[in-house]
Amino acid sequence: GESVGLHLPTLSVQEGDNSIINCAYSNSASDYFIWYKQESGKGPQFIIDIRSNMDKRQGQRVTVLLNKTVKHLSLQIAATQPGDSAVYFCAENISNTGNQFYFGTGTSLTVIP
Amino acid sequence: DSGVTQTPKHLITATGQRVTLRCSPRSGDLSVYWYQQSLDQGLQFLIHYYNGEERAKGNILERFSAQQFPDLHSELNLSSLELGDSALYFCASSVRNSGAYTQYFGPGTRLTVL
């Protein structure tokens, strides 16, 4: 079956430092990826997406890197703030299954003031 | 605010009972997805509807069913509830963005089965 996994279940960073959250995916046919942020008791919030024809995409304070060779995805958060504390999920879209996504279990990011 | 609404926010019920969760997608979105999120678990895909028709099924139990109505809102029906059904239930709607479908999630319904 499909698997989307995260390398680290928890990550703690100092406020102001950069954070890197990693994700591995297993299906080389995946062509679209999304990073979501989920705060406690809330629904997943779209952060940034990337297609398989790209290696890098930048948003506001966030950058997603895609390495198709090793099937690895990362989310970089610059100047991490306390409000960034949350669980971060990567989601993988496999085109031959339509627009169904597969989600990892998430990485819990804690920002230390 | 994603534009996806879900009601109720919290639901507490007993084993053996039946509940209905409601979702309204973002304006203009034709797709609705339902997910279950248990403690320490990732999002588990349950079912996908597009413009009133079932499009895909995931790990949805036979005790669970869903439908999407002409106004595009969707309901997830959970019956013969068991303790293990306690979870967060999310719906998402999707918008096509240059060939890819981006899913936006609602705030969820927290179901507690006692």
Side-chain angles (χ1 to χ4, degrees):
Chain A
E2 312 302 342
S3 73
V4 178
L6 295 168
H7 293 312
L8 298 172
T10 61
L11 177 64
S12 294
V13 298
Q14 290 290 135
E15 182 179 357
D17 287 351
N18 297 333
S19 303
I20 300 177
I21 301 171
N22 297 303
C23 177
Y25 64 96
S26 60
N27 194 324
S28 56
S30 296
D31 55 10
Y32 183 52
F33 304 87
I34 299 178
W35 278 102
Y36 288 94
K37 171 186 179 183
Q38 187 176 21
E39 296 175 89
S40 181
K42 296 185 179 180
Q45 174 189 354
F46 173 90
I47 301 174
I48 192 168
D49 59 358
I50 189 168
R51 298 169 199 273
S52 59
N53 61 354
M54 302 171 68
D55 296 324
K56 178 179 180 179
R57 190 163 189 224
Q58 289 184 294
Q60 186 178 12
R61 283 201 306 118
V62 295
T63 301
V64 54
L65 299 177
L66 176 62
N67 185 331
K68 295 179 288 293
T69 302
V70 295
K71 295 195 285 289
H72 182 268
L73 194 68
S74 70
L75 177 70
Q76 301 179 1
I77 304 173
T80 314
Q81 302 169 0
D84 295 327
S85 294
V87 174
Y88 290 81
F89 298 90
C90 62
E92 169 186 16
N93 180 238
I94 303 165
S95 59
N96 63 5
T97 64
N99 55 355
Q100 181 175 335
F101 280 83
Y102 296 88
F103 294 81
T105 54
T107 292
S108 178
L109 174 66
T110 300
V111 181
I112 304 167
Chain B
D1 184 359
S2 67
V4 179
T5 61
Q6 288 187 250
T7 57
K9 190 170 177 63
H10 300 279
L11 199 50
I12 301 174
T13 189
T15 55
Q17 295 299 304
R18 172 189 169 95
V19 297
T20 297
L21 313 183
R22 183 187 170 104
C23 168
S24 292
R26 288 157 38 110
S27 178
D29 289 356
L30 301 179
S31 279
V32 169
Y33 307 79
W34 286 98
Y35 292 89
Q36 180 191 58
Q37 186 180 45
S38 302
L39 191 63
D40 297 329
Q41 295 290 315
L43 287 160
Q44 300 295 316
F45 168 69
L46 296 178
I47 199 163
H48 168 214
Y49 276 84
Y50 177 83
N51 201 22
E53 294 186 0
E54 181 186 303
R55 280 295 178 92
K57 268 187 175 180
N59 299 321
I60 188 167
L61 300 172
E62 287 190 7
R63 301 183 285 108
F64 295 1
S65 65
Q67 55 184 330
Q68 186 179 28
F69 296 86
D71 66 352
L72 302 177
H73 89 272
S74 178
E75 293 181 355
L76 179 67
N77 300 297
L78 314 177
S79 61
S80 302
L81 285 167
E82 302 176 359
L83 295 177
D85 297 327
S86 295
L88 278 165
Y89 290 84
F90 292 103
C91 77
S93 69
S94 69
V95 58
R96 189 181 174 111
N97 179 16
S98 300
Y101 289 87
T102 302
Q103 292 192 7
Y104 293 91
F105 285 80
T109 293
R110 181 177 293 279
L111 173 67
T112 302
V113 182
L114 302 175

